[in-house]
Amino acid sequence: MQKLEIFGSKKLKGQIKISGSKNAALPILAATLLTNKKIIIKNLPNVSDIKTMITLLQSLGSRITTNKSQTIVDNSKQKKKFASYNLVKTMRAGILVLGPLLAKFGFAKVSLPGGCAIGTRPIDIHLKSLSKLGVKYKIDQGYVIAEAPKGLKGNKIRFAKISVGATENLIIAASFAKGTTILSNCAIEPEIKDLVNFLNKMGCKIEWISTRKIKIIGVSKLKEISYTIMFDRIEAGTYLIAAAITQGNLILQNIIPKVIKTEIEILKKIGSKILVKKNWLQIKGNKKIRNIKIKTAPYPGFPTDLQAQIMVLLCKSNKKSIIQENIFENRFMHVAELNRMGAKISIDGNKAIIKGNTNFQSAELMATDLRASVSLILAALTTQGKSVINRIYHLDRGYENIEKKLKKVGAKIKRV
Ligand code: EPZ
């Protein structure tokens, strides 16, 4: 099992190119199932979740070739409708093939994704909403067996709860339904906007009619296109925090700063100086870290995927901070490891109370989930000694070349 060794106390200085977004690429790859035309996708991040999704599509019969800068997806011979447990269990986003398979074939057998470290991750909203498009489903031996013998039929659907995955599954499915679908109470994460842009470029008819409401007129013909995936805003947010916590000076390139307005505002409140340009920004960390109260929320609120990372930064503030996690029921797995490094964080329900004034000590650590693992790196960067992080396969799911990018800006980090 690979590990990361990190020697701390370096100020990060230099430029980091932000990669393509894993969470935009996953639904877009799933949506290619809708068409038999050749689709070219650019700026896919080289991370294991993307490799898993490509393997899943290949298991369904997609022919996918990747050269250095682009991935070509050919679904002209794609016939299978069965997404197996061994692929979906490692990457929950595998459930995103359910909508397109139903739209294309009127049938799909997809493994229930199961839970993960951060929560039970149910898909009841996906299923209830799909049934409003005429889908009949049953759960059998850990699989969803879903069918729409008469094809999908447009409808008015209001999501009971804001769900990124359910919004994505329904947008893709409704794109091929007969008639018009109106989806209300949608998630509006930038990755969903990227998916809509991709589908419309292929010839779908999707229009945002108000903040969380979307109108989809079903089509049946799609065009051959090429599409470039948006930047990864969570990767960008992670490096913003890396600059803040090491009092460094980083330039982040290949980004659209207005997409991460909330994160930029929060880091300015905490004390960082941030210069924003059209497609890059410069952040200078400040010695004094101000304490703050943060609540995670659906976009445009503070993202749950940056909660572990901002918690590490708040450990360095001189007063008590509070983080309230409102999205997932078990997303404080990183707290125990951070406390082993000397943090003083206590949990009260969905609130983490962070004492501050922490001098992290280097330690042997264990990653538990994707974003928790990167928070351990951030803490290790501020210590005086050598830390070792185990189970970094969690990290490789969503951060492309993280040790190369950090080494380039002065971190002493290596994979062993
Ligand atoms: C997406 O997960 C992201 N994953 C997550 O990123 C992200 O944390 C999450 O959205 C929230 O922003 C991808 O895009 C691949 P949800 P998703 O459906 O779609 C509950 C990362 O680190 N819910 O918006 O699974 C659910 O349990 C990952 O990159 C239901 O109750 O998130 C959660 O409490 C981690 N029933 C809340 O809604 C459902 O049918 C939000 O989940 C679906 C969800």
Side-chain angles (χ1 to χ4, degrees):
M1 286 260 226
Q2 291 186 323
K3 301 177 179 177
L4 276 183
E5 267 181 12
I6 299 153
F7 293 83
S9 76
K10 300 269 174 299
K11 288 185 189 245
L12 301 185
K13 241 174 104 49
Q15 302 182 353
I16 293 184
K17 277 196 175 44
I18 299 300
S19 301
S21 162
K22 152 179 103 77
N23 289 353
L26 290 170
I28 285 174
L29 282 167
T32 62
L33 288 168
L34 286 177
T35 176
N36 291 332
K37 300 281 179 18
K38 190 174 77 168
I39 303 289
I40 295 175
I41 301 179
K42 297 177 179 157
N43 202 30
L44 275 184
N46 179 18
V47 295
S48 59
D49 270 9
I50 297 299
K51 292 189 189 113
T52 306
M53 179 58 93
I54 287 177
T55 307
L56 173 56
L57 292 179
Q58 288 169 330
S59 76
L60 293 169
S62 300
R63 287 185 299 182
I64 302 179
T65 49
T66 300
N67 64 36
K68 60 185 180 322
S69 67
Q70 62 183 31
T71 294
I72 300 162
V73 183
D74 170 3
N75 286 320
S76 54
K77 301 269 182 302
Q78 188 275 321
K79 299 258 179 299
K80 296 199 191 104
K81 305 145 190 124
F82 170 73
S84 73
Y85 171 68
N86 71 330
L87 284 167
V88 177
K89 75 173 189 294
T90 53
M91 187 209 44
R92 292 191 65 270
I95 196 64
L96 292 174
V97 302
L98 182 61
L101 288 175
L102 282 165
K104 188 172 175 182
F105 300 114
F107 179 84
K109 181 175 177 184
V110 178
S111 168
L112 282 170
C116 67
I118 63 177
T120 52
R121 315 294 294 274
I123 57 163
D124 54 314
I125 302 172
H126 298 240
L127 296 175
K128 263 191 219 118
S129 311
L130 284 168
S131 58
K132 293 200 182 116
L133 294 182
V135 174
K136 302 263 177 291
Y137 68 87
K138 64 178 180 178
I139 309 290
D140 184 33
Q141 294 172 34
Y143 281 85
V144 181
I145 299 165
E147 47 192 343
K150 301 193 203 71
L152 301 180
K153 207 165 157 332
N155 201 346
K156 281 188 182 351
I157 300 169
R158 179 175 177 72
F159 294 110
K161 181 174 179 184
I162 293 175
S163 159
V164 170
T167 304
E168 291 167 343
N169 242 333
L170 271 287
I171 288 174
I172 298 170
S175 298
F176 258 33
K178 285 185 210 67
T180 300
T181 299
I182 307 280
L183 301 176
S184 313
N185 200 26
C186 294
I188 53 172
E189 271 61 8
E191 295 76 25
I192 294 178
K193 307 271 172 151
D194 214 29
L195 170 66
V196 169
N197 293 342
F198 169 76
L199 289 166
N200 281 338
K201 192 170 179 186
M202 278 205 297
C204 293
K205 292 194 175 67
I206 307 171
E207 184 196 350
W208 292 96
I209 47 182
S210 72
T211 312
R212 290 189 182 276
K213 192 181 269 193
I214 199 163
K215 180 169 102 174
I216 302 159
I217 300 172
V219 297
S220 53
K221 287 242 163 310
L222 296 176
K223 299 193 292 268
E224 186 173 308
I225 64 161
S226 83
Y227 192 79
T228 301
I229 302 286
M230 69 173 281
F231 78 101
D232 192 314
R233 64 187 169 101
I234 304 300
E235 184 195 16
T238 303
Y239 288 121
L240 283 178
I241 294 167
I245 202 166
T246 62
Q247 295 157 46
N249 178 346
L250 286 182
I251 287 179
L252 303 188
Q253 297 167 314
N254 299 354
I255 63 168
I256 311 282
K258 71 174 185 316
V259 166
I260 51 172
K261 204 162 65 266
T262 302
E263 295 86 332
I264 290 169
E265 287 319 310
I266 291 272
L267 280 160
K268 282 181 177 169
K269 250 194 227 154
I270 293 176
S272 296
K273 299 267 173 301
I274 304 180
L275 170 70
V276 172
K277 295 291 183 187
K278 190 165 164 296
N279 60 2
W280 61 277
L281 65 76
Q282 179 172 24
I283 175 167
K284 291 181 181 160
N286 192 10
K287 195 163 170 41
K288 183 175 178 319
I289 309 282
R290 282 194 212 100
N291 64 321
I292 186 171
K293 180 167 179 171
I294 289 184
K295 293 181 180 174
T296 64
Y299 195 87
F302 189 85
T304 173
D305 291 350
L306 280 178
Q307 179 254 102
Q309 298 93 311
I310 201 87
M311 185 182 285
V312 181
L313 180 58
L314 292 174
C315 287
K316 305 298 282 180
S317 76
N318 53 5
K319 291 202 197 90
K320 183 176 88 168
S321 297
I322 295 179
I323 296 182
Q324 188 171 320
E325 170 55 54
N326 293 319
I327 307 292
F328 288 106
E329 70 269 27
N330 184 34
R331 202 167 196 174
F332 287 139
M333 303 285 281
H334 41 287
V335 168
E337 289 301 276
L338 294 174
N339 283 343
R340 287 185 58 241
M341 297 177 80
K344 296 176 277 309
I345 308 166
S346 55
I347 306 291
D348 174 13
N350 69 342
K351 287 192 190 70
I353 298 96
I354 300 121
K355 268 245 177 62
N357 288 314
T358 298
N359 287 318
F360 286 112
Q361 292 122 31
S362 47
E364 173 109 27
L365 302 158
M366 190 171 81
T368 50
D369 60 270
L370 169 57
R371 307 303 175 182
S373 49
V374 85
S375 72
L376 301 180
I377 294 179
L378 296 173
L381 286 173
T382 70
T383 64
Q384 294 307 319
K386 174 177 113 173
S387 299
V388 177
I389 301 178
N390 297 287
R391 300 195 179 178
I392 54 169
Y393 57 85
H394 290 291
L395 197 64
D396 294 334
R397 295 188 51 176
Y399 285 95
E400 185 177 52
N401 298 331
I402 186 161
E403 66 267 28
K404 283 199 194 92
K405 292 187 181 186
L406 284 172
K407 213 179 284 180
K408 187 168 161 279
V409 292
K412 277 190 78 182
I413 178 170
K414 70 177 178 193
R415 188 175 287 247
V416 295

